[in-house]
Amino acid sequence: GLVDVGAEGRMHVVLPGTPAGAWWQMSMAALREPLIQTGRMSEAEVDEGLAAYQEDGNYSLYPTLVTAWGAVR
């Protein structure tokens, strides 16, 4: 069976005015035209998304990174 089993998860919060917030805003701006041209988002939705990274109280979450470990004995 497994022994010494454990796991932990980490999630980063993206806040306006932080480097992570700036990265998401720049990524959305760079993808603006492809998102609109493919119909995945409207112009208004992209604009709303870009504006959200400027608003106090707004946040996003990175996906959770889960690490697990154990040994077989």
Side-chain angles (χ1 to χ4, degrees), residues 2-20:
L2 291 175
V3 296
D4 300 325
V5 176
E8 70 177 35
R10 293 178 186 235
M11 181 184 303
H12 294 277
V13 179
V14 180
L15 300 169
T18 65

Side-chain angles (χ1 to χ4, degrees), residues 4 25-26 38 42-43 48-49 56 58-59 61 67:
D4 300 325
Q25 189 174 28
M26 287 185 289
T38 60
S42 69
E43 233 179 290
E48 184 179 332
D56 286 339
N58 184 42
Y59 66 92
L61 302 173
T67 304

Side-chain angles (χ1 to χ4, degrees), residues 46-69:
V46 173
D47 290 342
E48 184 179 332
L50 287 168
Y53 289 105
Q54 302 288 330
E55 297 172 11
D56 286 339
N58 184 42
Y59 66 92
S60 300
L61 302 173
Y62 280 114
T64 304
L65 174 63
V66 177
T67 304
W69 57 89

